[in-house]
Amino acid sequence: MLKKIITTVTLATLIFTLSACGTTLAPYDANKDLGEQINYTITGIDAGAGIMLATQNAIEDYHLDDDNWQLQTSSTAAMTSTLQKAIKDKRPIVVTGWTPHWMFTKFDLKFLEDPKNVYGNAENIHTIVRKGLKEDKPSAYEVLDNFFWTAEDMSEVMLEVNDGVDPEEAAKKWVKNNPEKVAKWTDGVKKVDGEEIKLTYVAWDSEIASTNVVAEALRQVGYDTTIQAMEIQPMWASVATDAADGMVAAWLPNTSGIYYKDYKGKFEDLGANLKGAKIGLAVPKYMTNINSIEDLKTSK
């Protein structure tokens, strides 16, 4: 059961409230209870994201609910903004984190150990396409099937976007600067003349990067490519119902596992386009005595 998830309070309101209580604006103090310093709040992202469901399970499995720990829903942008402000003042914070993501490049963060393995082992990001794409749009199918890159590649694009570059322009720049990598996706693919193709994605920084890059690769072989951001469940539904041709945003086996199971048989899985992704809870490294999820408990 999903419980103890804050859904009606904005991060701004939360920060104001905690400030009034004198709990979150002071720098991190290793000699004080962490929960009291951050009002027993984990800063999260969109409510439907797999990492949020996993975090709710972590709260229960580690018995953090005994101390009234809560999971704050917001958005990726709101979470990273709150994280940046906390780090600037060396304040305590616990966030839902994942890699690849630019925040692990820009900030000095660490994942908390997960001895109960609630978040699972390393994940891969898969490419999922609608049934019949291979027959209808064989060139697009081939590019999507060939698409594979690394966490370092993805981080380059994410950092550009985070610095204010338009995602499409950041993708074009990466494609231009990495012709040998792109050639592995497009060489030998029969070109088309303005055929339409639609990709959907969830608007996480990682998926904004990957979807814009693969869209640009498809344009190089002649496709008129449209991309559309959605929440995670509608993204899966769009491919399963043929409303979209594909997506490159399926974190498996855990983050998107529930949707993979729900729509199984209604899509084609082309396999991993990026290996070694990871999700979990993260904190700034200056929180030196907080190294495990178990360290969040008041009474151990």
Side-chain angles (χ1 to χ4, degrees):
M1 180 183 297
L2 296 180
K3 59 183 179 179
K4 295 187 179 178
I5 300 181
I6 306 173
T7 56
T8 58
V9 182
T10 66
L11 282 175
T13 302
L14 180 66
I15 291 170
F16 175 82
T17 302
L18 296 177
S19 175
C21 297
T23 53
T24 67
L25 297 185
Y28 176 61
D29 188 340
N31 295 314
K32 293 183 179 179
D33 177 67
L34 172 63
E36 291 182 358
Q37 293 181 70
I38 59 174
N39 201 36
Y40 298 94
T41 297
I42 297 168
T43 303
I45 57 170
D46 316 85
I51 193 172
M52 295 292 279
L53 301 178
T55 300
Q56 188 56 47
N57 290 335
I59 288 173
E60 295 172 359
D61 289 359
Y62 285 95
H63 304 291
L64 300 180
D65 44 356
D66 293 345
D67 295 328
N68 294 313
W69 278 90
Q70 303 172 98
L71 178 56
Q72 167 71 50
T73 63
S74 56
S75 65
T76 301
M79 181 271 286
T80 53
S81 175
T82 304
L83 175 63
Q84 183 167 358
K85 291 173 183 175
I87 288 175
K88 180 181 178 182
D89 297 326
K90 289 194 178 301
R91 291 186 280 110
I93 188 169
V94 180
V95 301
T96 52
W98 63 95
T99 57
H101 193 278
W102 59 262
M103 62 182 165
F104 279 86
T105 303
K106 189 169 184 177
F107 306 129
D108 211 8
L109 303 175
K110 62 183 177 182
F111 277 109
L112 296 183
E113 295 171 7
D114 177 18
K116 296 181 183 290
N117 202 34
V118 175
Y119 290 97
N121 299 318
E123 296 205 297
N124 297 324
I125 308 177
H126 285 225
T127 299
I128 304 293
V129 300
R130 65 172 174 81
K131 290 281 191 176
L133 182 69
K134 187 174 183 178
E135 293 73 30
D136 298 343
K137 303 179 191 293
S139 294
Y141 181 95
E142 192 171 353
V143 172
L144 289 167
D145 196 26
N146 291 339
F147 174 56
F148 184 86
W149 65 345
T150 67
E152 291 74 20
D153 295 327
M154 180 183 274
S155 293
E156 285 183 34
V157 182
M158 284 193 288
L159 281 170
E160 288 274 330
V161 175
N162 180 246
D163 287 340
V165 178
D166 177 79
E168 185 174 335
E169 292 304 314
K172 286 180 179 179
K173 179 180 177 180
W174 188 90
V175 167
K176 181 179 179 181
N177 291 340
N178 293 273
E180 292 182 358
K181 293 180 180 181
V182 177
K184 292 180 180 179
W185 315 336
T186 60
D187 273 8
V189 176
K190 184 179 179 180
K191 293 201 172 184
V192 299
D193 186 14
E195 236 183 287
E196 294 183 354
I197 188 166
K198 181 179 180 180
L199 304 178
T200 49
Y201 65 102
V202 60
W204 301 336
D205 297 287
S206 48
E207 275 49 63
I208 291 171
S210 59
T211 305
N212 275 276
V213 165
V214 79
E216 186 60 26
L218 286 164
R219 292 184 186 108
Q220 287 202 351
V221 297
Y223 281 97
D224 179 4
T225 311
T226 300
I227 65 174
Q228 182 178 356
M230 295 181 168
E231 296 295 328
I232 188 168
Q233 188 276 333
M235 175 187 71
W236 278 88
S238 69
V239 178
T241 61
D242 299 347
D245 293 298
M247 51 95 160
V248 294
W251 288 56
L252 296 168
N254 300 309
T255 305
S256 290
I258 186 172
Y259 306 109
Y260 194 97
K261 181 179 179 180
D262 286 348
Y263 294 107
K264 191 172 183 179
K266 298 180 180 179
F267 59 81
E268 184 176 352
D269 182 355
L270 300 186
N273 61 61
L274 186 148
K275 293 185 176 180
K278 179 179 174 65
I279 66 171
L281 295 182
V283 300
K285 286 186 177 179
Y286 54 74
M287 295 171 61
T288 54
N289 65 325
I290 306 296
N291 297 300
S292 168
I293 298 174
E294 291 181 329
D295 293 336
L296 302 183
K297 280 195 64 63
T298 298
S299 54
K300 303 179 180 67

